[in-house]
Amino acid sequence: RKLERLGLEFIGGKCFVMPENFSIMYNPPDKTEAKNIIEKSVIEAREFAQNIKLGTTKRRFIRTPDFFIWCAINKLFKLGKTCGAFSNFFKVNDNCNSCGICEKCCPTKNIRLSEGLPVWDKSCTLCFRCINLCPQKAINYTSITTKRRQYIEPTTKLEELLPWQ
């Protein structure tokens, strides 16, 4: 309906499975597993794109069973972000060596070092780059992420994520 209001036509939609990186809910896959998930979805996406070109896509959008759960989670996420609640749950352990990677990689510039340790302001979007890129595994989100893997998309190089100057 939104597309129609813009004068556009919906010609198909499809969900693709991607590696789960939301480490407060899931344990992210290792690099090999993530690579396999991505490769499978790339094949499916190419097939879907070909069907769009050929005009053979189904014009129905089917909501997956977890659609409504994710809608509720999204509303809670927006509320938490608005009031700045997310930042209160980051913890730093004794492994921190004050390297500053967390500060440099934060896309919202939400982290600053204070007395050598990261401190989070209120604009966190829960991207978890700080957790996933910490070379010392010193950052956690409460105790939830302590035993979970760090996640970096398999073909991404650390230099691409850090705005070194």
Side-chain angles (χ1 to χ4, degrees):
R1 287 186 217 128
K2 288 181 181 181
L3 290 173
E4 287 172 1
R5 279 182 265 181
L6 295 171
L8 302 170
E9 179 187 358
F10 176 75
I11 58 172
K14 182 170 173 67
C15 294
F16 300 97
V17 175
M18 295 305 286
E20 186 52 70
N21 64 354
F22 197 58
S23 57
I24 61 171
M25 291 184 73
Y26 307 97
N27 190 20
D30 63 29
K31 282 193 175 205
T32 302
E33 193 179 352
K35 186 176 180 225
N36 291 338
I37 293 168
I38 292 168
E39 286 173 355
K40 183 180 177 196
S41 289
V42 166
I43 291 167
E44 290 177 14
R46 286 189 176 129
E47 288 172 3
F48 184 68
Q50 187 63 28
N51 289 336
I52 289 174
K53 280 180 166 179
L54 298 171
T56 59
T57 58
K58 294 180 181 168
R59 295 179 183 263
R60 257 177 10 125
F61 181 76
I62 300 169
R63 291 192 166 111
T64 58
D66 61 355
F67 174 80
F68 296 104
I69 294 168
W70 281 108
C71 284
I73 289 171
N74 190 41
K75 289 193 185 309
L76 286 172
F77 176 78
K78 286 180 182 178
L79 177 64
K81 185 177 177 223
T82 301
C83 67
F86 298 138
S87 299
N88 299 328
F89 298 101
F90 285 94
K91 305 292 178 213
V92 181
N93 65 36
D94 293 336
N95 294 340
C96 181
N97 64 1
S98 305
C99 68
I101 287 177
C102 54
E103 181 180 39
K104 292 176 180 84
C105 74
C106 181
T108 60
K109 307 292 182 224
N110 186 55
I111 303 171
R112 61 182 163 71
L113 291 184
S114 175
E115 297 180 18
L117 296 175
V119 175
W120 285 260
D121 290 327
K122 300 292 181 191
S123 63
C124 180
T125 61
L126 296 182
C127 73
F128 295 128
R129 278 187 180 184
C130 54
I131 292 173
N132 291 323
L133 297 179
C134 179
Q136 302 302 116
K137 297 185 181 179
I139 302 170
N140 286 291
Y141 200 74
T142 67
S143 62
I144 294 172
T145 59
T146 54
K147 293 186 178 166
R148 298 209 171 139
R149 284 185 282 275
Q150 292 173 303
Y151 179 81
I152 299 174
E153 193 275 324
T155 61
T156 300
K157 294 177 177 53
L158 186 60
E159 309 82 63
E160 296 170 352
L161 299 173
L162 297 174
W164 301 112
Q165 303 201 356

